Structures are given as structure tokens and as C-alpha cells.
Amino acid sequence: MTHAWLPPAEYIATLPRATAYACLYFTDTRGRPFQLLATQASEHWQWPGGNMDPGETPWETALRECREETGLVFTGEPRLLGAHFTTDRGEDWPANHIGFIFDGGELTDEQIDAVVLDPEEHSAYRVRTLAEWEREMCPRSFRRLAAIDRARGTGGTVYLETAEDF
């Protein structure tokens, strides 16, 4: 089978579309995950982060979004805990979605107390044990949280795929 060479713009038009997000995974000093409650989807807990802007790297996105959503300025080095890929985000999202979850380290009680939420994006933040999060989150979101927490604990990286992991 032979393929004709296409100019880059034409070739790119044939490829699947994708959006990308990046976030920081924090725990408190006792190892309890820190999450934000989204205003647009009640009961949807998430990490500080969001969609990439044009020309931005995943790391730059994670830092910017964390600052915008919590007021926290993270100065650590990038350490990837996981990558997430899904093709199924519902009929109203006609693109693949790719995520990068970075290790934000531990937050002190003082840092947590200083969090200032953007009320347009999040209505609350919480620090809970994994057992407490499991009772509060939907199963597929909790599986993602638990996998990222395990990756941090082992020093590894996890790859998550499909809507079931999201």
C-alpha cells in the first residue's frame, strides 16, 4: 500500500483531536490526599490543575492552574506520577483527553489553611484518608486517586487509560 505525502497541515487534519490537562497531586504531612470540589459538577473531586493553554507545556499548565485555583505557588521540580488517556468523555466532548499528573509533594497545615479557592471553579477543598475518599468519591475517580497515590508511594509512574479510570 502506498501513501501520498501530505503537507503538514493536511496531514495533521487527518489525525485524531485531543485536549490535554495537567495537575499537581498533593498530600498533607500525614499522607492524606488534598482535593478540590468542582463547582460545575457537584461531587466531582479533583486535583489543582486544568486544560493546557496554547504554547504551554504540561508542567507550566500544572503550575499555573495550581496558582490560579488555590493561590499556592509550587516551586518544586517536575516528577510525573501518572499519565491518563481517555477517548470517552461523553457526546459533548468530541476529542481524546490526555492528562499529566505531577507530584506536588506535601502541604503543611499552614499552606492548607492559606488556600484561596477560585469560586468560579471550586467550592471547597478537603484533606482525607484514602478510606474516607473512597466513601465520598465515585468508584472510577477513586481508582485514579488510589493509583496515583500508589505511584507516589513506590516512586513509580502509572499509566491510566479509558473512561473507567477517569
Side-chain angles (χ1 to χ4, degrees):
M1 180 185 261
T2 60
H3 295 285
W5 181 88
L6 294 174
E10 288 181 44
Y11 174 69
I12 289 170
T14 70
L15 299 176
R17 294 190 179 270
T19 58
Y21 74 93
C23 54
L24 288 170
Y25 174 70
F26 293 103
T27 62
D28 69 358
T29 57
R30 293 176 291 288
R32 299 177 302 174
F34 170 88
Q35 294 197 94
L36 309 174
L37 182 61
T39 58
Q40 300 301 320
S42 64
E43 302 179 19
H44 186 74
W45 291 94
Q46 55 192 209
W47 304 308
N51 287 322
M52 289 174 54
D53 285 344
E56 209 171 36
T57 69
W59 180 240
E60 290 167 340
T61 299
L63 296 177
R64 175 185 53 76
E65 288 282 348
C66 180
R67 184 181 65 254
E68 290 174 1
E69 294 178 354
T70 66
L72 297 172
V73 177
F74 184 71
T75 58
E77 295 295 316
R79 179 170 123 50
L80 186 66
L81 292 175
H84 175 238
F85 178 86
T86 185
T87 59
D88 181 16
R89 291 204 56 196
E91 292 178 21
D92 61 339
W93 196 274
N96 297 326
H97 200 50
I98 302 165
F100 301 88
I101 302 102
F102 294 98
D103 191 350
E106 294 181 344
L107 296 173
T108 65
D109 290 342
E110 293 77 23
Q111 288 172 307
I112 293 169
D113 290 343
V115 166
V116 177
L117 296 177
D118 175 349
E120 301 222 355
E121 293 200 46
H122 299 98
S123 59
Y125 63 88
R126 300 275 187 279
V127 175
R128 303 233 192 282
T129 65
L130 282 177
E132 290 168 329
W133 280 122
E134 186 171 20
R135 289 190 295 272
E136 192 157 340
M137 298 174 72
C138 74
R140 71 175 186 246
S141 293
F142 178 75
R143 283 193 300 273
R144 186 173 66 141
L145 170 65
I148 292 299
D149 191 73
R150 275 192 308 277
R152 186 209 251 170
T154 63
T157 303
V158 66
Y159 173 69
L160 304 169
E161 188 174 290
T162 77
E164 287 304 308
D165 293 323
F166 183 63

